[in-house]
């Protein structure tokens, strides 16, 4: 890799440290011990932590249990997902609209509980179609979504990630499902999650911090790093997930991260010795 880090001291003066999950602090069910150590050191030093994942196949209660089981000791107000950002958009700007949601039962149940009018798929029309990372995906769901979109439904997607890293390799994610619907209908969705403005606005509202007081750590150039580069948040890439060193070298200058490390182990050593 040709990329050379500038002054790494810029990460020491931040107030909010945002962490992607898959590929950054764990892979599947395997936590990175150094990530647990680094986050504990951040909290002990008085800095604030936020876990943000684009993976909307699960909801906050699931991530609370998972992060606790893996040793990260999260609080509920430290967790946010692209599903949360999309839900907030619906409540604020699309209240009362009918929604066909292609997602896991877990996400569907949360949306229903929060007052979103979800369709079954056998209706003639839908106001909105949302596709997400659906590990229970069926052809029937895809067919229904495409039919509604062709019929004039607004098309949204919780996040653009093409693949989800796991301990056994990559699996198709939300962006791949959206690509199917786009290929069939010719309609590209409005995306939420990282790297879109609704996400950074929600993080700011929830935490009270300004963009230049934040630092984001992630393993994807087009989501984690792009969020930082677009909105003035210090963007730190770790090579423990999807992105490879050659991807950094091949990226346009405006899309390159502010800093690159092999993992959060290196960051912990720089900040805390």
């Amino acid at each position: 890799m040709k990329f050379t880090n500038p002054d790494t001291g810029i990460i020491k003066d931040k107030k909010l440290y945002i962490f992607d999950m898959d590929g950054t602090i764990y892979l599947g069910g395997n936590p990175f011990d150094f990530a647990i150590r680094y986050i504990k050191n951040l909290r002990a030093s008085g800095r604030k932590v936020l876990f943000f994942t684009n993976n909307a196949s699960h909801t906050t209660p699931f991530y609370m249990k998972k992060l606790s089981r893996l040793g990260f000791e999260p609080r509920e107000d430290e967790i946010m997902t692209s599903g949360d950002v999309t839900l907030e958009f619906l409540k604020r700007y699309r209240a009362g609209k009918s929604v066909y949601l292609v997602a896991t039962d877990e996400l569907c149940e949360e949306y229903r509980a929060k007052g979103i009018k979800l369709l079954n798929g056998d209706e003639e029309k839908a106001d909105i179609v949302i596709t997400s990372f659906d590990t229970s995906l069926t052809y029937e769901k895809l067919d229904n979504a495409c039919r509604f979109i062709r019929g004039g439904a607004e098309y949204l997607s919780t996040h653009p990630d093409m693949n989800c890293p796991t301990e056994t390799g990559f699996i198709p994610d939300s962006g791949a499902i959206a690509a199917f619907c786009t290929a069939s209908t010719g309609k590209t969705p409005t995306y939420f999650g990282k790297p879109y403005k609704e996400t950074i606005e929600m993080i700011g509202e929830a935490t009270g911090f300004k963009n230049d007081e934040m630092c984001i750590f992630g393993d994807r150039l087009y989501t984690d790093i792009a969020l930082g580069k677009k909105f003035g948040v210090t963007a730190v890439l770790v090579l423990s997930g999807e992105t490879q060193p050659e991807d950094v070298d091949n990226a346009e200058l405006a899309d390159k991260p502010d800093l690159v490390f092999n993992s959060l182990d290196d960051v912990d050593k720089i900040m805390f010795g």
Side-chain angles (χ1 to χ4, degrees), residues 17 38 48 82 95 105 118-119 123 171 186 190 217 227 238 241 247 259 266 271-272:
Y17 292 74
Y38 177 47
K48 301 299 182 182
S82 67
D105 289 344
L118 293 189
L119 302 178
E123 298 85 356
I171 58 175
T190 297
F217 297 92
L227 183 75
V238 289
D247 298 327
L259 298 166
D266 296 332
M271 289 188 65
F272 300 107

Side-chain angles (χ1 to χ4, degrees), residues 25 31-41 70-72:
I25 64 171
F32 298 139
D33 291 340
F34 49 76
I36 296 173
R37 183 181 69 244
Y38 177 47
I39 290 169
K40 284 183 178 179
N41 285 335
L70 296 181
F72 289 98

Side-chain angles (χ1 to χ4, degrees), residues 49 62 70 75 109 121 127 165 171 179 182 199 241 243-244 248 251 273:
V49 169
F62 171 89
L70 296 181
R75 298 196 313 263
E109 288 169 7
D127 294 322
I171 58 175
T182 296
T199 291
T243 300
Q244 301 300 308
V248 179

Side-chain angles (χ1 to χ4, degrees), residues 121-136:
D122 54 3
E123 298 85 356
E124 289 187 9
K125 296 280 187 178
D127 294 322
I128 299 169
V129 168
I130 302 174
T131 57
S132 186
F133 180 22
D134 186 2
T135 53
S136 58

